[in-house]
Amino acid sequence: PERIESPWITDPRIDTFSFGVLGLFLLTGKVPSLNKTYQAIKESILSRSDSSSLSDDVLHELINVLLLCCNPDPGKRPATMSAVHSTLSLLARNMPWQLEEAEQWWESNANTLQDSITNYQT
């Protein structure tokens, strides 16, 4: 958001913002409407049935990290992607899936995901 008013800014928190928006897109399949409250964004993610593969605590923590990353106020975002990586690494220790399980999920949901992409593009 700060680049709209000041396009010459090169603060790393711009990347943090982009990462947060991308992460929310990956959870929901839609670009988040950032003019909503954090609670409204969080509720829309939690209401999706395909997010149920994560435990409630891990999902809430992941959403909180992503929402923090895409805070419109750069001073309230993590200062670097290294800080985000450290936080996500701690969360990953509690993730229920291993690589094989993730690959199986992507394989079994490929058609549904493709339909979602097609519907999003139209």
Side-chain angles (χ1 to χ4, degrees):
E2 59 272 23
R3 296 233 21 201
I4 293 170
E5 293 179 14
S6 306
W8 55 89
I9 292 178
T10 59
D11 190 307
R13 289 174 288 196
I14 293 169
D15 295 333
T16 306
F17 178 85
S18 299
F19 177 81
V21 171
L22 176 63
L24 291 173
F25 174 79
L26 291 172
L27 278 176
T28 64
K30 296 181 180 177
V31 175
S33 175
L34 298 177
N35 61 349
K36 293 182 179 180
T37 65
Y38 283 179
Q39 190 60 34
I41 295 170
K42 193 171 182 176
E43 286 173 10
S44 72
I45 296 167
L46 294 173
S47 68
R48 296 180 51 83
S49 60
D50 56 356
S51 297
S52 63
S53 56
L54 297 175
S55 73
D56 283 346
D57 290 341
V58 173
L59 180 59
H60 284 269
E61 288 181 53
L62 176 59
I63 293 168
N64 287 336
V65 169
L66 295 173
L67 288 172
L68 184 62
C69 286
C70 64
N71 191 308
D73 179 353
K76 293 182 180 176
R77 290 182 217 142
T80 65
M81 285 305 299
S82 283
V84 175
H85 179 263
S86 296
T87 302
L88 292 176
S89 292
L90 290 173
L91 280 179
R93 293 180 183 168
N94 297 319
M95 292 293 177
W97 288 2
Q98 299 299 319
L99 179 61
E100 297 80 23
E101 293 167 311
E103 287 174 346
Q104 279 181 333
W105 184 90
W106 283 103
E107 225 174 86
S108 66
N109 288 284
N111 291 337
T112 304
L113 294 169
Q114 186 58 48
D115 289 345
S116 294
I117 292 169
T118 302
N119 290 335
Y120 179 77
Q121 291 173 343
T122 56

